[in-house]
């Protein structure tokens, strides 16, 4: 195992070089063992809750091999597109283990979700009529709440709830349940998602308090005993070596106390707690492995890789930090300052800016950490760049390719060149 500060990579140097001989860089590598451990930790956090369910957010790592690993341990799926519904089905996750979280949703996505027997989680009150007209109403219907007036600080990625496009207002929530009741729906859930990559315990406890109080009010005003409260995901990971991880034990104990104090006290002791984590399941279980192609020294010192933001967009999109390890130089002094870049014709195509690293040479292998969520998934083909392969390190030590790299034939497959 390669260790750089507190950041780890599951293969040692010789093992990695053997993998590269078979699967050329760049590629994303995922670790099955870490993924399973992450899920089991979350499951243990809510072991006190009746029938706890994690709906893995497929958008984080949309590969049926990954979804199947989590499903084997009991996870469902959170889907937000037609493709994600098909991935869930392909991985064997169907029925109410799926929740489709609507967001400006077209009819064919609703239709597929209804076909699979999924829970439908509506993002807007007007979607009730649209869903009924185009797909029919589901057995179990949920609504997404936006607590704008209660959480004004917001989150770096999602932003302030009041300015987010997601969810219903407080008054709309009550109106929506009444409309659905009148249309014959009898089974309901409640959902929110107001933070992303959050590590503060207080955020999760406050979210639970808001949602539990709302669930109690829904019962008292409308006579609806919700089947579940989905607290969303948002559990962060320590991208920087010095950052502290989420305190799952404290979160679990705090939410349990609120559950007893608010829900049980209002006769709602059987409500299921659900989450929809992505990053917490796969984020620290993935790495982008890349080779240094060029070194450029002008006004700054640049290291150019065989990957680019088509392989990992987060640094360019969010200014996100991803730790970088130079293979074989883990314990060397970080006495050089580089911008680590890709080859796109965009100046923000950088994995790191002014990063202190060991002396780097052409041909060195770089490991970019914590790319298991929203890494390969956010890839694109600007400049005609092709997305890389995805590899999976199995618990038995075998490395498998679970998605091949794109080819030029793939890139041109949808074009009509004419005669």
């Amino acid at each position: 195992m390669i260790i750089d500060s507190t950041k780890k990579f599951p293969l040692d140097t010789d093992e990695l070089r053997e993998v590269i001989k078979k699967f050329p860089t760049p590629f994303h590598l995922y670790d099955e063992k870490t993924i399973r451990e992450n899920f089991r930790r979350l499951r243990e956090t809510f072991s006190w809750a009746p029938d706890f369910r994690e709906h893995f957010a497929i958008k984080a790592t949309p590969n049926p091999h990954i979804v199947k690993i989590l499903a084997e341990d009991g996870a469902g799926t959170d889907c937000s597109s037609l493709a994600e519904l098909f991935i869930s089905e392909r991985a064997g996750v169907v029925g109410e283990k799926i929740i489709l979280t609507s967001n400006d949703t077209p009819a064919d996505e609703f239709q597929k979700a209804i076909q699979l027997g999924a829970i439908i989680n509506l993002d807007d009150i007007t979607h009730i009529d649209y869903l009924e007209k185009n797909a029919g109403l589901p057995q179990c219907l949920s609504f997404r709440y936006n607590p704008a007036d209660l959480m004004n600080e917001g989150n770096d990625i999602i932003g302030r709830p009041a300015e987010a496009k997601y969810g219903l207002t407080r008054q709309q929530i009550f109106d929506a349940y009444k409309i659905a009741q009148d249309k014959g729906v009898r089974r309901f859930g409640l959902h929110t998602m107001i933070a992303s990559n959050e590590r503060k315990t207080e955020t999760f406890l406050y979210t639970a308090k808001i949602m539990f109080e709302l669930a109690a009010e829904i019962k008292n005003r409308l006579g609806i005993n919700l089947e579940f409260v989905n607290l969303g995901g948002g559990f962060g990971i320590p991208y920087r070596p010095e950052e502290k991880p989420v305190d799952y034990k404290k979160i679990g104990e705090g939410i349990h106390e609120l559950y007893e104090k608010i829900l049980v006290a209002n006769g709602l002791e059987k409500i299921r707690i659900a989450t929809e984590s992505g990053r917490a399941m796969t984020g620290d279980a993935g790495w982008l492995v890349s080779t240094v192609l060029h070194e450029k020294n002008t006004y700054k010192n640049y290291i150019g890789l065989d990957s680019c933001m088509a392989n990992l967009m987060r640094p360019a999109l969010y200014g996100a930090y991803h730790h970088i390890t130079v293979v074989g130089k883990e314990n060397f002094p970080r006495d050089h300052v580089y911008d680590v870049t890709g080859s796109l014709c965009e100046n923000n195509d950088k994995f790191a800016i002014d990063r202190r690293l060991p002396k780097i040479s052409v041909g060195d292998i770089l490991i970019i950490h914590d790319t298991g969520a929203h890494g390969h998934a956010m890839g694109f083909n600007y400049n005609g760049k092709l997305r890389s392969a995805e590899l999976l390190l199995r618990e038995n030590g075998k490395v498998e390719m679970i998605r091949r790299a794109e080819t030029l034939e793939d890139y041109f497959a949808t074009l009509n060149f004419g005669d």
Side-chain angles (χ1 to χ4, degrees):
M1 178 183 292
I2 294 172
I3 300 177
D4 177 359
S5 184
T6 60
K7 291 294 182 181
K8 299 178 181 179
F9 182 74
L11 302 175
D12 64 30
T13 300
D14 291 339
E15 290 170 330
L16 177 57
R17 293 194 186 282
E18 286 301 312
V19 170
I20 292 172
K21 287 179 183 178
K22 186 175 181 180
F23 304 110
T25 62
F27 55 75
H28 285 268
L29 175 74
Y30 309 116
D31 181 31
E32 178 182 5
K33 181 174 183 290
T34 301
I35 292 171
R36 291 189 187 276
E37 289 174 348
N38 287 342
F39 172 75
R40 292 166 185 170
R41 177 186 58 202
L42 185 66
R43 186 176 61 190
E44 178 61 26
T45 298
F46 292 98
S47 60
W48 52 266
D51 194 27
F52 167 72
R53 182 174 299 159
E54 155 68 0
H55 295 273
F56 172 61
I58 290 182
K59 60 180 174 287
T61 321
N63 190 304
H65 294 273
I66 303 299
V67 176
K68 188 174 181 181
I69 287 171
L70 289 160
E72 287 171 354
D73 272 355
T77 56
D78 163 52
C79 300
S80 56
S81 71
L82 187 60
E84 290 176 5
L85 287 166
F86 273 94
I87 288 172
S88 183
E89 182 180 30
R90 186 66 178 267
V93 182
V94 296
E96 292 186 3
K97 283 200 166 185
I98 302 173
I99 184 166
L100 175 73
T101 297
S102 167
N103 175 24
D104 193 22
T105 306
D108 58 353
E109 293 178 12
F110 281 135
Q111 291 161 2
K112 182 63 177 179
I114 292 290
Q115 176 201 330
L116 292 175
I119 297 169
I120 307 294
N121 182 39
L122 293 182
D123 181 65
D124 187 68
I125 193 169
T126 66
H127 291 182
I128 301 171
D129 289 338
Y130 183 87
L131 173 62
E132 182 180 36
K133 177 182 177 181
N134 290 283
L137 296 174
Q139 293 293 314
C140 187
L141 186 62
S142 175
F143 293 100
R144 179 171 182 166
Y145 175 47
N146 183 328
D149 55 334
L150 299 176
M151 296 191 72
N152 288 320
E153 288 188 8
N155 178 267
D156 288 343
I157 294 178
I158 290 183
R160 293 179 61 244
E163 297 176 355
K165 67 175 182 175
Y166 309 111
L168 285 73
T169 68
R170 185 175 181 82
Q171 184 56 51
Q172 286 174 340
I173 282 285
F174 293 101
D175 294 343
Y177 282 111
K178 184 64 170 64
I179 292 169
Q181 271 185 315
D182 292 344
K183 289 181 178 293
V185 179
R186 294 293 175 262
R187 298 174 55 216
F188 293 101
L190 176 65
H191 169 279
T192 197
M193 178 72 181
I194 52 182
S196 181
N197 193 32
E198 181 61 73
R199 292 178 293 112
K200 296 192 296 289
T201 298
E202 296 75 18
T203 299
F204 299 105
L205 298 188
Y206 190 50
T207 299
K209 180 178 182 293
I210 290 171
M211 296 299 284
F212 293 167
E213 289 175 345
L214 181 57
E217 189 171 352
I218 289 168
K219 178 194 176 184
N220 294 332
R221 287 176 57 174
L222 300 175
I224 293 175
N225 291 301
L226 296 171
E227 291 192 11
F228 66 87
V229 173
N230 188 327
L231 299 174
F235 298 104
I237 62 174
Y239 283 96
R240 296 175 181 270
E242 67 273 14
E243 291 177 340
K244 293 182 179 180
V246 169
D247 189 338
Y248 284 95
K249 184 175 185 295
K250 192 172 181 180
I251 288 172
E253 291 172 349
I255 293 178
H256 189 186
E257 183 178 339
L258 291 166
Y259 186 97
E260 295 288 333
K261 182 179 178 180
I262 301 171
L263 294 181
V264 174
N266 282 276
L268 294 169
E269 65 276 357
K270 294 184 179 180
I271 286 186
R272 182 173 74 246
I273 299 299
T275 56
E276 54 183 50
S277 306
R279 190 188 324 269
M281 299 297 97
T282 59
D284 65 351
W287 301 263
L288 174 60
V289 180
S290 193
T291 301
V292 176
L293 295 182
H294 301 284
E295 180 179 3
K296 177 180 179 178
N297 300 302
T298 52
Y299 302 105
K300 300 183 77 175
N301 298 320
Y302 298 97
I303 295 297
L305 306 184
D306 61 357
S307 57
C308 64
M309 63 185 287
N311 307 106
L312 178 63
M313 194 191 296
R314 294 188 73 254
L317 188 62
Y318 301 125
Y321 178 96
H322 283 264
H323 196 69
I324 296 175
T325 295
V326 184
V327 174
K329 300 179 180 179
E330 297 82 17
N331 299 316
F332 285 28
R334 293 174 171 256
D335 52 4
H336 286 65
V337 177
Y338 298 108
D339 282 12
V340 182
T341 76
S343 59
L344 286 188
C345 292
E346 292 289 337
N347 195 44
N348 64 343
D349 181 23
K350 297 178 180 180
F351 299 109
I353 298 174
D354 294 330
R355 183 72 59 86
R356 299 192 68 85
L357 292 165
K359 175 70 172 70
I360 296 175
S361 302
V362 171
D364 278 348
I365 304 299
L366 269 57
I367 297 170
I368 303 178
H369 294 260
D370 302 314
T371 68
H374 314 292
H376 190 284
M378 297 176 76
F380 61 109
N381 289 125
Y382 180 60
N383 266 181
K385 294 297 181 180
L386 305 174
R387 284 169 287 196
S388 60
E390 292 180 295
L391 310 182
L392 178 64
L393 174 62
R394 290 291 188 180
E395 288 186 296
N396 63 10
K398 182 180 179 182
V399 175
E400 302 174 358
M401 182 170 64
I402 57 173
R403 189 194 302 271
R404 66 167 174 80
E406 289 181 335
T407 66
L408 284 174
E409 287 74 19
D410 296 324
Y411 180 76
F412 291 116
T414 57
L415 288 173
N416 182 358
F417 285 103
D419 296 331

